[in-house]
Amino acid sequence: ILNVEQSPQSLHVQEGDSTNFTCSFPSSNFYALHWYRWETAKSPEALFVMTLNGDEKKKGRISATLNTKEGYSYLYIKGSQPEDSATYLCAPRTTDKLIFGTGTRLQVFP
Amino acid sequence: SQTIHQWPATLVQPVGSPLSLECTVEGTSNPNLYWYRQAAGRGLQLLFYSVGIGQISSEVPQNLSASRPQDRQFILSSKKLLLSDSGFYLCAWGQGTRTGELFFGEGSRLTVL
């Protein structure tokens, strides 16, 4: 069973603060690393998919990095806004399946 | 464009009753299909996935089963529900590629009383 850990479990920040979360996963049998954002009352939506060691992806104020050798990924949010409030899930992919971590629940206060 | 729908959205069932959750995908062919569950206070747990008609892989031993009678239809079932089956169930589809993201349905909240 793939063990995917995310930290912290929850995070409360003020609007304008920058923040980051960690995803750690076994580095063997690794195909890709996915990040999803799950807002309340909605379905999870993909943010990034990364495959190569050293990959760095960016979408607006959100960016992510990947280290496949040591088995971790960071997600960064610059200048958090209330609309960033959501649960952020990482999921390494092995063959045909994605195994999700427990997520980091972010709440941004105005 | 591709769409995914699952139903029912909400279900309240007594212990020991049967369950059937359905999921259909439109606008794509031969998708990989997945059932995930979020139990209270926990992350998304993969229950079943399917890479083709009649092909089901089970991830955890449990009181549930899945079937894929048609290419774009995925059904989650139980003959007798347990209290521990309560949770939020999500169906998802994706292409069978390493970088293919998953697209999720709207979710089904099951409460077993």
Coordinates of all heavy atoms in Angstrom, one line a residue, chain A residues 19-85:
Chain A
T19 N 2.1 30.8 1.8 CA 2.1 29.6 2.6 C 2.6 28.4 1.7 O 2.7 28.5 0.5 CB 0.7 29.3 3.1 OG1 0.7 28.1 3.9 CG2 -0.3 29.0 2.0
N20 N 2.9 27.3 2.3 CA 3.3 26.2 1.6 C 3.0 24.9 2.3 O 2.9 24.9 3.6 CB 4.8 26.2 1.2 CG 5.7 26.1 2.5 OD1 6.0 25.0 3.0 ND2 6.1 27.3 3.0
F21 N 2.7 23.8 1.6 CA 2.4 22.5 2.1 C 3.4 21.5 1.6 O 4.0 21.7 0.5 CB 1.0 22.0 1.8 CG 0.0 23.1 1.5 CD1 -0.8 23.1 0.4 CD2 -0.2 24.1 2.5 CE1 -1.7 24.0 0.2 CE2 -1.2 25.1 2.2 CZ -1.9 25.1 1.1
T22 N 3.4 20.3 2.3 CA 4.3 19.3 1.8 C 3.6 18.0 1.6 O 2.6 17.7 2.2 CB 5.4 19.0 3.0 OG1 6.0 20.2 3.3 CG2 6.4 17.9 2.5
C23 N 4.0 17.3 0.6 CA 3.5 16.0 0.2 C 4.7 15.0 0.2 O 5.7 15.3 -0.6 CB 2.8 16.0 -1.1 SG 2.3 14.4 -1.8
S24 N 4.7 13.9 0.9 CA 5.8 13.0 0.8 C 5.2 11.6 0.4 O 4.1 11.2 0.8 CB 6.6 12.9 2.1 OG 5.7 12.4 3.2
F25 N 6.0 10.9 -0.4 CA 5.5 9.6 -1.0 C 6.7 8.7 -1.2 O 7.8 9.2 -1.4 CB 4.7 9.9 -2.3 CG 5.5 10.7 -3.3 CD1 6.3 10.1 -4.2 CD2 5.4 12.1 -3.2 CE1 7.1 10.9 -5.1 CE2 6.2 12.9 -4.1 CZ 7.0 12.3 -5.0
P26 N 6.4 7.4 -1.3 CA 7.5 6.5 -1.6 C 8.0 6.8 -3.1 O 7.3 7.0 -4.0 CB 6.9 5.1 -1.6 CG 5.6 5.3 -0.8 CD 5.2 6.7 -1.1
S27 N 9.3 6.8 -3.2 CA 9.9 7.2 -4.5 C 10.0 6.0 -5.5 O 10.3 6.2 -6.7 CB 11.3 7.8 -4.3 OG 12.1 7.0 -3.6
S28 N 9.7 4.8 -5.1 CA 9.7 3.7 -6.0 C 8.4 3.6 -6.8 O 7.4 4.0 -6.3 CB 10.0 2.4 -5.2 OG 9.0 2.2 -4.3
N29 N 8.5 3.0 -8.0 CA 7.3 2.8 -8.8 C 6.6 4.1 -9.1 O 5.3 4.2 -9.1 CB 6.3 1.8 -8.2 CG 6.9 0.4 -8.1 OD1 7.6 0.0 -9.0 ND2 6.7 -0.2 -7.0
F30 N 7.3 5.2 -9.2 CA 6.7 6.5 -9.4 C 6.5 6.8 -10.8 O 7.4 6.6 -11.7 CB 7.6 7.5 -8.7 CG 7.1 9.0 -9.0 CD1 6.2 9.5 -8.2 CD2 7.7 9.7 -10.0 CE1 5.8 10.8 -8.4 CE2 7.3 11.0 -10.3 CZ 6.3 11.6 -9.5
Y31 N 5.3 7.2 -11.2 CA 5.0 7.6 -12.5 C 4.8 9.2 -12.7 O 5.3 9.8 -13.6 CB 3.7 7.0 -13.0 CG 3.9 5.6 -13.6 CD1 4.9 4.7 -13.1 CD2 3.0 5.1 -14.6 CE1 5.0 3.5 -13.6 CE2 3.1 3.8 -15.1 CZ 4.2 3.0 -14.6 OH 4.3 1.7 -15.1
A32 N 4.0 9.7 -11.8 CA 3.7 11.2 -11.8 C 3.2 11.6 -10.4 O 2.7 10.8 -9.6 CB 2.7 11.5 -12.9
L33 N 3.2 12.9 -10.2 CA 2.6 13.4 -9.0 C 1.6 14.5 -9.3 O 1.8 15.4 -10.1 CB 3.8 14.1 -8.1 CG 3.5 14.5 -6.7 CD1 2.7 15.8 -6.6 CD2 2.8 13.4 -5.9
H34 N 0.4 14.3 -8.8 CA -0.7 15.2 -9.1 C -1.1 16.0 -7.9 O -1.0 15.5 -6.7 CB -2.0 14.4 -9.4 CG -1.9 13.6 -10.7 ND1 -3.0 13.6 -11.6 CD2 -1.0 12.7 -11.2 CE1 -2.6 12.8 -12.6 NE2 -1.5 12.2 -12.4
W35 N -1.5 17.2 -8.1 CA -2.0 18.1 -7.0 C -3.5 18.5 -7.4 O -3.7 18.8 -8.6 CB -1.2 19.4 -6.8 CG 0.0 19.2 -6.0 CD1 1.3 19.1 -6.4 CD2 0.1 19.2 -4.6 NE1 2.2 19.0 -5.3 CE2 1.4 19.1 -4.2 CE3 -0.9 19.4 -3.5 CZ2 1.9 19.1 -2.9 CZ3 -0.5 19.3 -2.2 CH2 0.9 19.2 -1.9
Y36 N -4.4 18.4 -6.4 CA -5.8 18.7 -6.7 C -6.2 19.7 -5.6 O -5.8 19.7 -4.5 CB -6.7 17.5 -6.6 CG -6.5 16.6 -7.8 CD1 -5.5 15.7 -7.9 CD2 -7.5 16.6 -8.8 CE1 -5.3 14.9 -8.9 CE2 -7.3 15.7 -9.9 CZ -6.2 14.9 -10.0 OH -6.1 14.1 -11.0
R37 N -7.2 20.6 -6.0 CA -7.8 21.5 -5.1 C -9.2 21.1 -4.9 O -9.9 20.9 -5.9 CB -7.7 22.9 -5.6 CG -8.5 23.9 -4.7 CD -8.1 25.3 -4.9 NE -8.5 25.7 -6.3 CZ -8.0 26.8 -6.9 NH1 -7.1 27.6 -6.3 NH2 -8.4 27.1 -8.1
W38 N -9.7 21.0 -3.7 CA -11.0 20.5 -3.4 C -11.7 21.6 -2.6 O -11.5 21.7 -1.4 CB -11.0 19.2 -2.7 CG -12.3 18.5 -2.6 CD1 -13.5 18.9 -3.1 CD2 -12.6 17.2 -2.0 NE1 -14.5 18.0 -2.9 CE2 -14.0 17.0 -2.2 CE3 -11.8 16.3 -1.3 CZ2 -14.6 15.8 -1.7 CZ3 -12.4 15.2 -0.8 CH2 -13.8 14.9 -1.0
E39 N -12.6 22.3 -3.2 CA -13.4 23.4 -2.5 C -14.6 22.7 -2.0 O -15.2 21.8 -2.5 CB -13.7 24.5 -3.5 CG -12.5 25.2 -4.0 CD -12.9 26.4 -5.0 OE1 -13.5 27.3 -4.5 OE2 -12.6 26.2 -6.2
T40 N -15.1 23.3 -0.9 CA -16.3 22.8 -0.2 C -17.5 22.9 -1.2 O -17.6 23.8 -2.0 CB -16.7 23.7 1.0 OG1 -15.5 23.7 1.8 CG2 -17.9 23.2 1.7
A41 N -18.3 21.8 -1.2 CA -19.5 21.6 -2.1 C -19.1 21.5 -3.6 O -20.0 21.6 -4.4 CB -20.4 22.8 -1.9
K42 N -17.9 21.3 -3.9 CA -17.5 21.0 -5.3 C -16.7 19.7 -5.4 O -16.4 19.1 -4.4 CB -16.6 22.2 -5.8 CG -17.4 23.5 -5.9 CD -16.5 24.6 -6.5 CE -17.2 25.9 -6.7 NZ -16.4 26.9 -7.3
S43 N -16.3 19.4 -6.6 CA -15.5 18.2 -6.8 C -14.1 18.6 -6.9 O -13.7 19.7 -7.3 CB -15.9 17.5 -8.1 OG -17.3 17.2 -8.1
P44 N -13.2 17.7 -6.6 CA -11.7 18.0 -6.7 C -11.4 18.3 -8.1 O -11.9 17.7 -9.1 CB -11.0 16.7 -6.3 CG -12.0 16.0 -5.4 CD -13.4 16.3 -6.0
E45 N -10.5 19.3 -8.3 CA -10.0 19.7 -9.6 C -8.5 19.7 -9.7 O -7.9 20.1 -8.7 CB -10.6 21.1 -10.0 CG -12.0 21.1 -10.2 CD -12.5 22.5 -10.7 OE1 -11.7 23.5 -10.5 OE2 -13.6 22.6 -11.1
A46 N -8.0 19.2 -10.8 CA -6.5 19.1 -10.9 C -5.9 20.5 -11.0 O -6.4 21.4 -11.7 CB -6.2 18.3 -12.2
L47 N -4.8 20.6 -10.3 CA -4.0 21.8 -10.3 C -2.7 21.6 -11.2 O -2.5 22.3 -12.1 CB -3.5 22.2 -8.9 CG -4.5 23.0 -8.0 CD1 -3.9 23.1 -6.6 CD2 -4.8 24.3 -8.6
F48 N -2.0 20.6 -10.8 CA -0.7 20.3 -11.5 C -0.5 18.8 -11.7 O -1.0 18.0 -10.8 CB 0.5 20.8 -10.8 CG 0.4 22.3 -10.5 CD1 0.3 22.7 -9.1 CD2 0.5 23.3 -11.5 CE1 0.3 24.1 -8.8 CE2 0.5 24.6 -11.2 CZ 0.4 25.0 -9.9
V49 N 0.2 18.4 -12.7 CA 0.7 17.1 -12.9 C 2.2 17.2 -13.2 O 2.6 17.9 -14.2 CB 0.0 16.3 -14.0 CG1 0.6 14.9 -14.1 CG2 -1.5 16.2 -13.7
M50 N 3.0 16.5 -12.4 CA 4.5 16.6 -12.6 C 5.1 15.2 -12.7 O 4.6 14.3 -12.0 CB 5.1 17.4 -11.5 CG 4.6 18.8 -11.4 SD 5.3 19.8 -10.0 CE 4.5 19.0 -8.7
T51 N 6.1 15.1 -13.5 CA 6.6 13.8 -13.7 C 8.2 13.7 -13.5 O 8.7 12.7 -13.1 CB 6.4 13.3 -15.2 OG1 6.9 14.2 -16.1 CG2 4.9 13.1 -15.4
L52 N 8.9 14.8 -13.8 CA 10.3 14.7 -13.8 C 10.9 15.3 -12.5 O 10.4 16.3 -12.0 CB 10.9 15.5 -15.0 CG 10.5 14.9 -16.3 CD1 11.0 15.8 -17.4 CD2 10.9 13.5 -16.5
N53 N 12.0 14.7 -12.0 CA 12.7 15.3 -10.9 C 13.1 16.7 -11.1 O 13.7 17.0 -12.2 CB 13.9 14.4 -10.5 CG 14.6 14.8 -9.2 OD1 13.9 15.1 -8.2 ND2 15.9 14.9 -9.3
G54 N 12.8 17.6 -10.2 CA 13.1 19.0 -10.4 C 12.0 19.8 -11.2 O 12.2 21.0 -11.3
D55 N 11.0 19.1 -11.6 CA 9.8 19.8 -12.2 C 9.3 20.9 -11.3 O 9.3 20.8 -10.1 CB 8.7 18.8 -12.5 CG 8.6 18.4 -13.9 OD1 9.3 19.0 -14.7 OD2 7.7 17.6 -14.2
E56 N 9.0 22.0 -12.0 CA 8.4 23.1 -11.3 C 7.2 23.6 -12.2 O 7.4 23.9 -13.3 CB 9.4 24.2 -11.0 CG 9.0 25.2 -10.0 CD 10.1 26.1 -9.6 OE1 11.3 25.7 -9.5 OE2 9.8 27.3 -9.3
K57 N 6.0 23.7 -11.6 CA 4.9 24.2 -12.3 C 4.3 25.4 -11.6 O 4.4 25.5 -10.4 CB 3.8 23.1 -12.4 CG 4.3 21.9 -13.2 CD 3.8 21.9 -14.6 CE 4.4 20.7 -15.4 NZ 3.4 19.9 -16.0
K58 N 3.7 26.3 -12.4 CA 3.1 27.5 -11.8 C 1.8 27.8 -12.5 O 1.6 27.7 -13.7 CB 4.1 28.7 -12.0 CG 3.6 29.9 -11.3 CD 4.7 31.0 -11.3 CE 4.3 32.2 -10.5 NZ 5.3 33.3 -10.6
K59 N 0.8 28.2 -11.7 CA -0.5 28.7 -12.2 C -0.9 29.9 -11.4 O -1.4 29.7 -10.3 CB -1.5 27.5 -12.1 CG -2.8 27.8 -12.8 CD -3.8 26.6 -12.6 CE -3.4 25.4 -13.4 NZ -4.4 24.3 -13.3
G60 N -0.7 31.1 -11.9 CA -1.0 32.3 -11.2 C -0.2 32.4 -9.9 O 1.1 32.3 -10.0
R61 N -0.8 32.5 -8.8 CA -0.1 32.6 -7.5 C 0.3 31.3 -6.9 O 1.0 31.2 -5.8 CB -1.0 33.4 -6.5 CG -1.2 34.8 -6.9 CD -2.1 35.5 -5.9 NE -3.5 35.0 -6.0 CZ -4.0 34.1 -5.1 NH1 -3.2 33.6 -4.1 NH2 -5.2 33.7 -5.2
I62 N 0.0 30.2 -7.5 CA 0.2 28.8 -7.0 C 1.3 28.2 -7.8 O 1.3 28.2 -9.0 CB -1.1 28.0 -7.0 CG1 -2.2 28.7 -6.3 CG2 -0.8 26.6 -6.4 CD1 -3.5 27.9 -6.3
S63 N 2.3 27.6 -7.1 CA 3.3 26.8 -7.8 C 3.6 25.6 -7.0 O 3.2 25.4 -5.9 CB 4.6 27.7 -7.9 OG 5.1 28.1 -6.6
A64 N 4.3 24.6 -7.7 CA 4.6 23.4 -7.1 C 6.0 22.9 -7.6 O 6.4 23.2 -8.7 CB 3.6 22.3 -7.4
T65 N 6.7 22.2 -6.7 CA 8.0 21.6 -7.1 C 7.9 20.1 -6.8 O 7.1 19.6 -6.0 CB 9.1 22.2 -6.3 OG1 8.9 22.0 -4.9 CG2 9.2 23.7 -6.6
L66 N 8.9 19.4 -7.5 CA 8.9 17.9 -7.3 C 10.3 17.4 -7.1 O 11.2 17.8 -7.9 CB 8.2 17.2 -8.5 CG 8.2 15.7 -8.6 CD1 7.3 15.2 -7.5 CD2 7.8 15.2 -9.9
N67 N 10.5 16.5 -6.1 CA 11.7 15.8 -5.9 C 11.4 14.3 -5.9 O 10.9 13.8 -4.9 CB 12.4 16.3 -4.6 CG 13.8 15.6 -4.4 OD1 13.9 14.5 -4.7 ND2 14.7 16.4 -3.9
T68 N 11.7 13.7 -7.0 CA 11.3 12.2 -7.1 C 12.4 11.4 -6.4 O 12.0 10.2 -6.0 CB 11.2 11.8 -8.5 OG1 12.4 12.0 -9.2 CG2 10.1 12.5 -9.3
K69 N 13.6 11.8 -6.3 CA 14.6 11.0 -5.6 C 14.4 10.8 -4.2 O 14.6 9.8 -3.6 CB 16.0 11.6 -5.9 CG 16.4 11.6 -7.4 CD 17.8 12.2 -7.6 CE 18.2 12.1 -9.0 NZ 19.5 12.7 -9.3
E70 N 13.9 11.9 -3.5 CA 13.7 11.8 -2.1 C 12.2 11.7 -1.8 O 11.8 11.5 -0.6 CB 14.3 13.1 -1.4 CG 15.8 13.1 -1.5 CD 16.3 14.3 -0.8 OE1 15.8 14.6 0.3 OE2 17.3 14.9 -1.3
G71 N 11.4 11.8 -2.8 CA 9.9 11.5 -2.6 C 9.2 12.6 -1.9 O 8.5 12.3 -0.9
Y72 N 9.3 13.8 -2.4 CA 8.4 14.9 -1.8 C 8.1 15.9 -2.9 O 8.8 16.1 -3.9 CB 9.1 15.5 -0.6 CG 10.3 16.3 -0.8 CD1 10.3 17.6 -1.3 CD2 11.6 15.7 -0.6 CE1 11.5 18.3 -1.5 CE2 12.7 16.4 -0.8 CZ 12.7 17.7 -1.3 OH 13.8 18.4 -1.5
S73 N 7.0 16.6 -2.6 CA 6.6 17.8 -3.5 C 6.1 18.9 -2.5 O 5.5 18.6 -1.5 CB 5.5 17.3 -4.4 OG 5.0 18.4 -5.2
Y74 N 6.4 20.1 -2.9 CA 5.9 21.3 -2.2 C 4.9 22.0 -3.1 O 5.0 22.2 -4.3 CB 7.0 22.2 -1.9 CG 8.0 21.7 -0.9 CD1 9.4 21.9 -1.1 CD2 7.7 21.0 0.3 CE1 10.3 21.4 -0.2 CE2 8.6 20.6 1.2 CZ 9.9 20.8 0.9 OH 10.9 20.3 1.8
L75 N 3.9 22.5 -2.4 CA 2.9 23.4 -3.1 C 3.0 24.8 -2.4 O 2.9 24.8 -1.1 CB 1.5 22.9 -3.0 CG 0.4 23.7 -3.8 CD1 0.5 23.3 -5.2 CD2 -1.0 23.4 -3.2
Y76 N 3.2 25.8 -3.2 CA 3.3 27.2 -2.6 C 2.1 28.1 -3.1 O 1.7 28.0 -4.2 CB 4.6 27.9 -3.1 CG 5.9 27.1 -2.8 CD1 6.4 26.2 -3.7 CD2 6.6 27.4 -1.6 CE1 7.6 25.5 -3.4 CE2 7.8 26.7 -1.3 CZ 8.2 25.8 -2.2 OH 9.4 25.1 -2.0
I77 N 1.6 28.9 -2.2 CA 0.6 29.9 -2.5 C 1.2 31.2 -2.1 O 1.4 31.4 -0.9 CB -0.7 29.6 -1.9 CG1 -1.3 28.2 -2.3 CG2 -1.7 30.7 -2.3 CD1 -2.6 27.9 -1.7
K78 N 1.3 32.1 -3.0 CA 1.9 33.4 -2.8 C 0.7 34.4 -2.6 O -0.2 34.5 -3.4 CB 2.7 33.9 -3.9 CG 3.5 35.2 -3.7 CD 4.4 35.5 -4.9 CE 5.0 36.9 -4.7 NZ 5.9 37.2 -5.9
G79 N 0.7 35.2 -1.5 CA -0.3 36.2 -1.3 C -1.7 35.5 -1.2 O -2.6 35.8 -2.0
S80 N -1.9 34.7 -0.3 CA -3.2 33.9 -0.2 C -4.4 34.8 -0.2 O -4.4 35.9 0.4 CB -3.2 33.1 1.1 OG -2.1 32.2 1.2
Q81 N -5.4 34.4 -0.8 CA -6.7 35.1 -0.9 C -7.8 34.2 -0.3 O -7.7 32.9 -0.3 CB -7.1 35.4 -2.4 CG -6.0 36.4 -3.0 CD -6.0 37.7 -2.3 OE1 -7.0 38.4 -2.1 NE2 -4.8 38.1 -2.0
P82 N -8.9 34.8 0.2 CA -10.0 33.9 0.7 C -10.5 32.9 -0.3 O -10.8 31.8 0.2 CB -11.1 35.0 1.0 CG -10.3 36.2 1.3 CD -9.2 36.2 0.4
E83 N -10.4 33.1 -1.6 CA -10.9 32.1 -2.5 C -9.9 31.0 -2.7 O -10.2 30.0 -3.3 CB -11.1 32.8 -3.9 CG -9.9 33.5 -4.5 CD -9.9 35.0 -4.2 OE1 -10.4 35.4 -3.2 OE2 -9.3 35.7 -5.1
D84 N -8.7 31.1 -2.0 CA -7.8 29.9 -2.0 C -8.2 28.9 -1.0 O -7.6 27.8 -0.9 CB -6.4 30.4 -1.8 CG -5.8 31.3 -2.8 OD1 -6.2 31.1 -4.0 OD2 -5.0 32.2 -2.5
S85 N -9.2 29.2 -0.1 CA -9.6 28.3 0.9 C -10.1 27.0 0.3 O -11.1 27.1 -0.5 CB -10.7 29.0 1.8 OG -10.2 30.1 2.4

